[in-house]
Amino acid sequence: MKTIFNEVRRFPEFDKDFKKLAKRFKTLNDDIETFINKQLKLAHKLGVDNKGVFHISELGIEISKIYKAKKFACKALKGRGAMSGIRIIYAYYENEDVMEFIEIYFKGDKANEDKKRIIKYYS
């Protein structure tokens, strides 16, 4: 599959989170492809702010910008649309055009991102 970014990386913890969620939400593999090609393209390639992606600024990380995606359409969560409750934390390196997926979680399971994990990778 052709990607719109130079590279899309997934940290081992992200893959672990993803596998767990994919058992519950069977459409997750397709949903993440759609998310990359639609939501992330809108936010980072076309500069469109549809209020679905937020920069997490309070981490004190300079290397790249860390984002939280709140709009993630999951077909397995019928009737919830883009506000499915699935959250993705990722870094975007604008100059290299590289996406790094750090964490994925369901809001019903935990309230917020794992700041310790993010800081571990980027400090």
Side-chain angles (χ1 to χ4, degrees), residues 17 56 65 86:
D17 297 340
I56 305 173
K65 285 192 171 170
I86 290 181

Side-chain angles (χ1 to χ4, degrees), residues 1-39:
M1 158 166 188
K2 186 187 161 296
T3 179
I4 54 167
F5 297 96
N6 281 343
E7 192 180 349
V8 176
R9 303 179 193 137
R10 293 158 70 136
F11 286 131
E13 281 112 325
F14 178 90
D15 280 333
K16 201 170 142 195
D17 297 340
F18 188 87
K19 278 183 188 133
K20 260 190 226 161
L21 284 178
K23 285 178 185 158
R24 283 168 60 194
F25 309 117
K26 302 293 182 204
T27 60
L28 210 53
N29 276 311
D30 291 338
D31 297 334
I32 198 153
E33 293 298 328
T34 303
F35 170 74
I36 292 167
N37 293 318
K38 300 276 191 292
Q39 180 76 348

Side-chain angles (χ1 to χ4, degrees), residues 2-111:
K2 186 187 161 296
T3 179
I4 54 167
F5 297 96
N6 281 343
E7 192 180 349
V8 176
R9 303 179 193 137
R10 293 158 70 136
F11 286 131
E13 281 112 325
F14 178 90
D15 280 333
K16 201 170 142 195
D17 297 340
F18 188 87
K19 278 183 188 133
K20 260 190 226 161
L21 284 178
K23 285 178 185 158
R24 283 168 60 194
F25 309 117
K26 302 293 182 204
T27 60
L28 210 53
N29 276 311
D30 291 338
D31 297 334
I32 198 153
E33 293 298 328
T34 303
F35 170 74
I36 292 167
N37 293 318
K38 300 276 191 292
Q39 180 76 348
L40 296 184
K41 180 181 180 183
L42 272 178
H44 299 292
K45 296 290 189 171
L46 304 175
V48 175
D49 181 10
N50 68 351
K51 307 283 186 257
V53 172
F54 301 89
H55 177 233
I56 305 173
S57 55
E58 74 274 5
L59 296 169
I61 294 168
E62 303 296 319
I63 308 163
S64 68
K65 285 192 171 170
I66 309 293
Y67 295 91
K68 176 191 242 178
K70 290 187 175 182
K71 281 189 179 177
F72 181 91
C74 179
K75 291 182 210 100
L77 288 159
K78 285 182 177 60
R80 294 177 88 170
M83 290 307 206
S84 64
I86 290 181
R87 303 290 187 255
I88 294 186
I89 309 301
Y90 67 93
Y92 180 57
Y93 296 88
E94 211 168 321
N95 295 339
E96 297 89 30
D97 194 32
V98 171
M99 212 35 85
E100 282 182 335
F101 288 123
I102 304 164
E103 182 179 13
I104 183 170
Y105 64 94
F106 180 58
K107 206 174 73 177
D109 298 336
K110 69 186 250 189

